[in-house]
Amino acid sequence: VSAGASDAASDRAARREKRERVPLPRPVRGHGAPFITSGRPVTAIYADLLVATLPAIIWAVFLFGVRCLAVLVCSVGAAVLTELVLKLVLRRRVTVSDLSVVWSGVTVGMLMPPAVPLWVPMLASAVGIGVFKCALGGRGRTFISPALGGFAVIALLLPSRISMFTAPFSRLSVLSSAGEGASYLLSAVPGADM
């Protein structure tokens, strides 16, 4: 009996040793979204996006004048102010420093025509950040880009305000909505219905 017991004990010890040598797979850690992550901070990614947008902003200022900068400043300012106020009112962590709200404001400003009244990009940014970002979960959890959501609302509610297009090199003044003959409706362009 002692020989059988020692064989069983040695078999158990051999199996235990074999189990300890087999490496177990590491558990997979999931992310909030099904995307590959790079490990870079969010602020650095948005800073890269803003730097990549600089040539388009410079080209817009070259074509249409400093009025483009006024539209951009108004849309970015409204986006930042809206997020700051809503985060403070709702007592949530203020995330203005991650530059995502600045990127949304720049996107709204770049979608607007240069002759647009300055309150229109401000309203689009406020709606985009207030409704499509803060109310629907925050950065990375929205079903639509806040900038595009705000622009879509303005396009549905005020289509005449964003359908004015400016002729290049017309040099609009910073505070006026449109210069004499500088803007035209898209419907006046041949083939615009296509």
Side-chain angles (χ1 to χ4, degrees), residues 8-94:
S10 64
D11 284 345
R12 275 184 268 149
R15 281 188 297 219
R16 188 177 314 120
E17 184 179 325
K18 187 176 182 182
R19 270 196 311 249
E20 290 173 359
R21 284 185 290 174
V22 174
L24 296 175
R26 291 188 304 177
V28 177
R29 290 196 175 110
H31 298 284
F35 304 114
I36 297 172
T37 59
S38 66
R40 294 181 65 213
V42 173
T43 306
I45 294 170
Y46 280 112
D48 287 348
L49 285 170
L50 291 170
V51 169
T53 310
L54 279 177
I57 293 171
I58 291 168
W59 181 249
V61 170
F62 174 73
L63 286 180
F64 303 109
V66 293
R67 173 81 175 148
C68 294
L69 289 180
V71 172
L72 281 172
V73 167
C74 287
S75 64
V76 170
V80 169
L81 188 63
T82 302
E83 179 159 330
L84 187 63
V85 167
L86 284 176
K87 294 288 183 164
L88 290 175
V89 167
L90 297 174
R91 297 184 183 184
R92 294 187 184 161
R93 188 173 66 90
V94 177

Side-chain angles (χ1 to χ4, degrees), residues 73-155:
V73 167
C74 287
S75 64
V76 170
V80 169
L81 188 63
T82 302
E83 179 159 330
L84 187 63
V85 167
L86 284 176
K87 294 288 183 164
L88 290 175
V89 167
L90 297 174
R91 297 184 183 184
R92 294 187 184 161
R93 188 173 66 90
V94 177
T95 58
V96 172
S97 62
D98 69 2
L99 299 178
S100 65
V101 69
V102 175
W103 171 249
S104 293
V106 167
T107 305
V108 167
M110 293 296 286
L111 288 170
M112 295 288 170
V116 70
L118 293 179
W119 62 268
V120 173
M122 293 171 74
L123 181 62
S125 291
V127 167
I129 297 300
V131 174
F132 293 100
K133 185 177 181 189
C134 291
L136 295 178
R139 183 191 76 225
R141 294 180 182 90
T142 59
F143 69 95
I144 187 172
S145 164
L148 297 180
F151 182 78
V153 168
I154 294 299

Side-chain angles (χ1 to χ4, degrees), residues 1-12:
V1 175
S2 65
S6 66
D7 287 340
S10 64
D11 284 345
R12 275 184 268 149

